[in-house]
Amino acid sequence: LNLYLNRTPPDISSGRFILRVFDVDDCINLLSPAIEKITAKNIPVVLSVSPVALGTTYTNEDPIVANEISKSTLRVAAKHIVDNNPLVDYYPSFEAFRSRGITTYTEDCKHVQFSLVEQVVNEMVARYQERGQ
């Protein structure tokens, strides 16, 4: 049906589903129409990349490598979109957490500590309130 799932289907072995790993162009082509509709109404958009790591992967890559590829792909796509639309900004939440090192994450090394989430979100809100957005 050319539809995408955001979680593992209940019967992945049925042959009904295939894995499709998006590249930068895929991400740009999927995001751009929605962003263009929003910004056409003069509404600003903020993009960000989640700092939450992939837990598993269906690629042949190690999950750590797959996570880095995924985050890098999304970051490059976001940069392209920001560079081509003056109403789109990028907030570096991913980079804010990553630059703080492993202590940013909880014991599962996947989720970020709530106190840091609160700090980064507050910084983001303050940034865009100052701009009047």
Side-chain angles (χ1 to χ4, degrees), residues 43-55:
I43 300 170
V45 174
V46 177
L47 294 180
S48 188
V49 173
S50 171
V52 177
L54 294 174

Side-chain angles (χ1 to χ4, degrees), residues 66-81:
N67 184 66
E68 291 302 307
I69 293 168
S70 174
K71 301 299 183 182
S72 298
T73 300
L74 292 171
R75 183 60 185 96
V76 171
K79 170 103 174 98
H80 175 84
I81 291 168

Side-chain angles (χ1 to χ4, degrees), residues 6 9 43-44 52 62 68 79 83 94 106-107 116 119 128-130:
N6 63 354
I43 300 170
V52 177
D62 179 280
E68 291 302 307
K79 170 103 174 98
D83 288 350
F94 173 71
T106 59
E107 290 179 15
L116 294 174
Q119 181 182 348
Y128 293 106
Q129 280 182 336
E130 289 172 9

Side-chain angles (χ1 to χ4, degrees), residues 31-45:
L31 283 172
S32 291
I35 290 172
E36 288 168 10
K37 284 182 181 181
I38 295 168
T39 58
K41 296 179 185 229
N42 207 32
I43 300 170
V45 174

Side-chain angles (χ1 to χ4, degrees), residues 4-18 58:
Y4 297 101
L5 302 175
N6 63 354
R7 63 187 59 187
T8 304
D11 186 12
I12 196 165
S13 63
S14 70
R16 180 175 173 208
F17 302 96
I18 61 168
Y58 292 100

Side-chain angles (χ1 to χ4, degrees), residues 1-125:
L1 299 174
N2 286 327
L3 300 174
Y4 297 101
L5 302 175
N6 63 354
R7 63 187 59 187
T8 304
D11 186 12
I12 196 165
S13 63
S14 70
R16 180 175 173 208
F17 302 96
I18 61 168
L19 172 67
R20 173 138 183 247
V21 178
F22 292 162
D23 62 20
V24 173
D25 289 336
D26 292 327
C27 294
I28 292 167
N29 292 333
L30 288 167
L31 283 172
S32 291
I35 290 172
E36 288 168 10
K37 284 182 181 181
I38 295 168
T39 58
K41 296 179 185 229
N42 207 32
I43 300 170
V45 174
V46 177
L47 294 180
S48 188
V49 173
S50 171
V52 177
L54 294 174
T56 59
T57 181
Y58 292 100
T59 68
N60 292 327
E61 302 285 351
D62 179 280
I64 295 170
V65 173
N67 184 66
E68 291 302 307
I69 293 168
S70 174
K71 301 299 183 182
S72 298
T73 300
L74 292 171
R75 183 60 185 96
V76 171
K79 170 103 174 98
H80 175 84
I81 291 168
V82 167
D83 288 350
N84 288 285
N85 192 323
L87 282 175
V88 182
D89 196 28
Y90 179 79
Y91 184 76
S93 61
F94 173 71
E95 294 83 352
F97 287 103
R98 291 297 293 267
S99 68
R100 293 178 176 148
I102 193 72
T103 58
T104 299
Y105 295 88
T106 59
E107 290 179 15
D108 67 3
C109 293
K110 179 180 175 185
H111 294 91
V112 292
Q113 293 185 33
F114 180 76
S115 61
L116 294 174
V117 171
E118 188 173 38
Q119 181 182 348
V120 170
V121 168
N122 288 339
E123 290 169 5
M124 183 178 91
V125 169

